[in-house]
Amino acid sequence: MAQVSLRNVYKTYGNNVTAVDNVSLGIENKEFLVLVGPSGCGKSTTLRMIAGLEEISQGKIWIGDRLVNDVPAKDRNIAMVFQNYALYPHMSVFENMAFGLKLRKYPKPEIIRRVNEAAEILGIKQYLERKPRELSGGERQRVALGRAIVRKPLVFLFDEPLSNLDAKRRVQMRTEIHKLRLRLQTTFIYVTHDQIEAMTLGDRIAVMKDGKILQCAEPMTIYDKPINKFVASFIGTPPINLMEGRIIKQERRYYFDEGKFKVRLVDEMVTVMAPYEGKPVTMGIRSEDIYDKLFVSQASPDNTIQAACEVIEPMGAEVYLHLNTGKHPFIARVGAHDRPEVNRDMDIVFDMNKVHFFDPETEITIV
């Protein structure tokens, strides 16, 4: 079994700089967990502490039923794949993949069997005699994966392994890592700043900021029910649209008043939002929940606003409309057939069942 458990883990450097701040996290056997967040949030430091490459300032880390705080990295039965591949340039692909097994004095027939098996899985058998300089970035990353696979570790750790690849190869390697996970059936912990990687790969996502885990849940739970404004804005492409305004009450109905427009709250939100009457709040709405009124058969005036279309970005199967109320810019993601006139006002419909509201002081999600 390869559960990983972090209990009240801290990492503090000199001058009281806290890189990881009281992180507690449990990763189940065979789970794929993604640590995601901006640069400097503590995700790579957390991974390196699990690997044994960084000492823990406080707390406990368990791999399976073994406390590993004082266990050297080489004895933790983990394998780590780095951002920069970390291949030996003077060695062949075969030698790079076999190096760790040779250090552990595995018999030569077993080394050959494991290397060939991993190369077959990753489709790099034809490259075994080549040097790393003769390979593309994606091929080098496969070699780095192969070097990890041959060890047959309890846990695979990935530290932004795709960030050096171009967009096309990143998509290809995401697919390869997903297939690899299904085939190997072991525990994966994956660090990235790319929320698309997080959404597509993880069974669960842990969103980090300032050394803390803000929310850990399944990808669609993070997307649909973010715990605060940072999580809502970090996960999703394009980022969630955020607008400042106030909650007002008119004729027993509650509205979000942005200043240039107002939209009515759905009945299910009234109980939670009523205490905010007259107070400032932040409304968030995702780009796919905003529509051109021309393509909505029954649009209520209560959730229809006017906005200027400033830029149109064709994306192939869809179009991004860059809109502006005069107070807030925002983006609508619409069908490829929707091409309104630029620099003209247009009627826009908000799906008010899908909006989020955040407290402007705490930034915690209200609804």
Side-chain angles (χ1 to χ4, degrees), residues 255 262-264 293 298-305 348-349:
Y255 295 83
K262 63 180 181 180
V263 283
R264 182 186 169 190
K293 187 183 176 184
Q298 294 181 330
S300 167
D302 284 337
N303 62 344
T304 302
I305 73 167
I348 296 295
V349 179

Side-chain angles (χ1 to χ4, degrees), residues 74-228:
K74 65 183 179 64
D75 298 326
R76 294 194 181 192
N77 200 8
I78 56 93
M80 191 160 178
V81 179
F82 297 91
Q83 176 181 347
N84 61 358
Y85 320 133
L87 301 177
Y88 297 108
H90 63 287
M91 292 184 182
S92 68
V93 168
F94 181 94
E95 291 167 334
N96 267 283
M97 292 172 64
F99 186 70
L101 300 179
K102 288 181 178 178
L103 287 181
R104 289 166 177 78
K105 302 189 184 304
Y106 278 76
K108 188 174 182 179
E110 177 68 6
I111 292 173
I112 293 171
R113 187 188 67 79
R114 289 197 183 196
V115 170
N116 282 326
E117 181 183 0
E120 187 72 39
I121 290 171
L122 294 165
I124 55 173
K125 207 164 183 179
Q126 67 272 34
Y127 305 137
L128 288 177
E129 300 307 317
R130 295 188 187 181
K131 296 290 197 298
R133 64 176 178 273
E134 301 174 74
L135 305 176
S136 68
E139 289 160 353
R140 292 179 197 178
Q141 194 57 273
R142 281 187 172 88
V143 176
L145 285 170
R147 184 177 53 193
I149 291 170
V150 297
R151 301 247 323 268
K152 297 186 177 179
L154 287 174
V155 183
F156 283 96
L157 306 178
F158 294 82
D159 190 6
E160 306 211 37
L162 309 185
S163 59
N164 287 338
L165 303 180
D166 59 44
K168 182 179 179 180
R169 293 196 183 279
R170 279 202 301 273
V171 173
Q172 292 172 340
M173 285 304 299
R174 283 206 308 265
T175 303
E176 293 299 324
I177 290 171
H178 187 68
K179 289 179 182 177
L180 183 65
R181 176 272 177 101
L182 295 175
R183 185 160 181 171
L184 297 180
Q185 290 292 302
T186 190
T187 306
F188 282 62
I189 306 175
Y190 189 103
V191 160
T192 182
H193 65 275
D194 185 331
Q195 52 89 23
I196 294 177
E197 285 180 30
M199 291 289 291
T200 54
L201 288 172
D203 295 324
R204 284 189 301 153
I205 299 172
V207 182
M208 295 190 70
K209 182 187 180 188
D210 299 333
K212 297 178 180 291
I213 293 178
L214 301 184
Q215 187 172 4
C216 184
E218 295 178 358
M220 290 312 299
T221 300
I222 296 274
Y223 189 80
D224 292 332
K225 299 178 180 179
I227 198 168
N228 60 24

Side-chain angles (χ1 to χ4, degrees), residues 318-353:
E318 57 193 12
V319 171
Y320 291 175
L321 305 181
H322 291 254
L323 304 157
N324 203 316
T325 65
K327 186 177 178 183
H328 290 105
F330 62 102
I331 298 174
R333 190 165 70 188
V334 298
H337 52 275
D338 193 351
R339 303 289 180 92
E341 194 172 340
V342 176
N343 294 326
R344 292 287 297 274
D345 283 349
M346 57 184 295
D347 290 328
I348 296 295
V349 179
F350 286 174
D351 185 345
M352 293 301 293
N353 290 291

Side-chain angles (χ1 to χ4, degrees), residues 8-12 18 20-23 49 56-59:
N8 307 110
V9 171
Y10 290 81
K11 179 61 182 180
T12 305
T18 301
V20 175
D21 189 355
N22 195 22
V23 165
M49 287 193 291
I56 303 166
S57 300
Q58 188 178 329

